[in-house]
């Protein structure tokens, strides 16, 4: 229990221990990976195709960070070639369930955003 005595639960504080997790899950690729994995397990290349535009390196780094934080489960089957599958843990499912409404809101509000961008550019 000593390891948790230094926890600071205030994301506005620079000492907040959750900031690194917040940084990980709010990254563009992490949000998309979490929501894609909410659909079901994926192998690496299939997930990379689903998250269009992500590089192999960035997806790998993102999945490692999400696995480190307990949100993604990586299962490697001993075969040739190795079959590796990624899925969400319960913690990852909870995070994805909170991110899905954000993505839906962004997609639904694009007309207003584009209009605002045009007005801004015209100034």
């Amino acid at each position: 229990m000593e390891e948790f005595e230094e926890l600071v639960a205030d994301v506005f504080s620079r000492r907040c221990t959750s900031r690194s997790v917040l940084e990980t899950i709010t990254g563009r690729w992490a949000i998309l990976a979490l929501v894609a994995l909410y659909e079901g397990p994926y192998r690496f290349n299939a997930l990379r195709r689903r998250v269009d535009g992500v590089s192999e390196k960035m997806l790998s780094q993102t999945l490692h960070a999400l696995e480190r934080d307990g949100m993604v489960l990586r299962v490697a089957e001993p075969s040739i070639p190795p079959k590796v599958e990624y899925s969400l843990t319960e913690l990852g499912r909870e995070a994805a369930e909170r991110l899905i409404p954000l993505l839906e809101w962004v997609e639904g509000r694009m007309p207003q955003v584009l209009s605002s961008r045009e007005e801004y550019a015209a100034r």
Side-chain angles (χ1 to χ4, degrees):
M1 202 60 175
E2 291 177 23
E3 62 191 82
F4 298 113
E5 290 178 13
E6 296 297 319
L7 287 178
V8 176
D10 177 5
V11 294
F12 294 101
S13 169
R14 79 178 105 180
R15 294 180 28 236
C16 181
T17 50
S18 64
R19 275 196 178 180
S20 66
V21 176
L22 185 63
E23 183 179 338
T24 297
I25 65 172
T26 59
R28 166 179 43 177
W29 303 122
I31 289 173
L32 296 175
L34 285 166
V35 173
L37 288 169
Y38 189 79
E39 299 167 354
Y42 275 93
R43 291 183 66 180
F44 185 86
N45 285 324
L47 182 59
R48 187 167 168 225
R49 285 189 298 275
R50 179 71 175 113
V51 182
D52 190 28
V54 66
S55 71
E56 187 174 325
K57 179 181 177 183
M58 282 307 304
L59 182 57
S60 179
Q61 288 176 351
T62 299
L63 290 170
H64 283 284
L66 292 169
E67 183 182 9
R68 176 201 64 213
D69 289 348
M71 295 188 203
V72 166
L73 179 63
R74 179 184 185 272
V75 176
E77 292 183 18
S79 60
I80 298 175
K83 181 182 177 186
V84 179
E85 191 171 79
Y86 296 90
S87 60
L88 294 179
T89 63
E90 187 57 39
L91 191 61
R93 288 192 69 74
E94 287 180 35
E97 287 170 353
R98 285 160 173 75
L99 294 169
I100 290 168
L102 175 62
L103 294 185
E104 291 170 344
W105 178 84
V106 168
E107 289 174 342
R109 293 301 185 181
M110 282 311 298
Q112 292 91 335
V113 170
L114 294 175
S115 175
S116 294
R117 287 180 180 179
E118 287 176 9
E119 290 174 18
Y120 183 85
R123 287 192 233 167

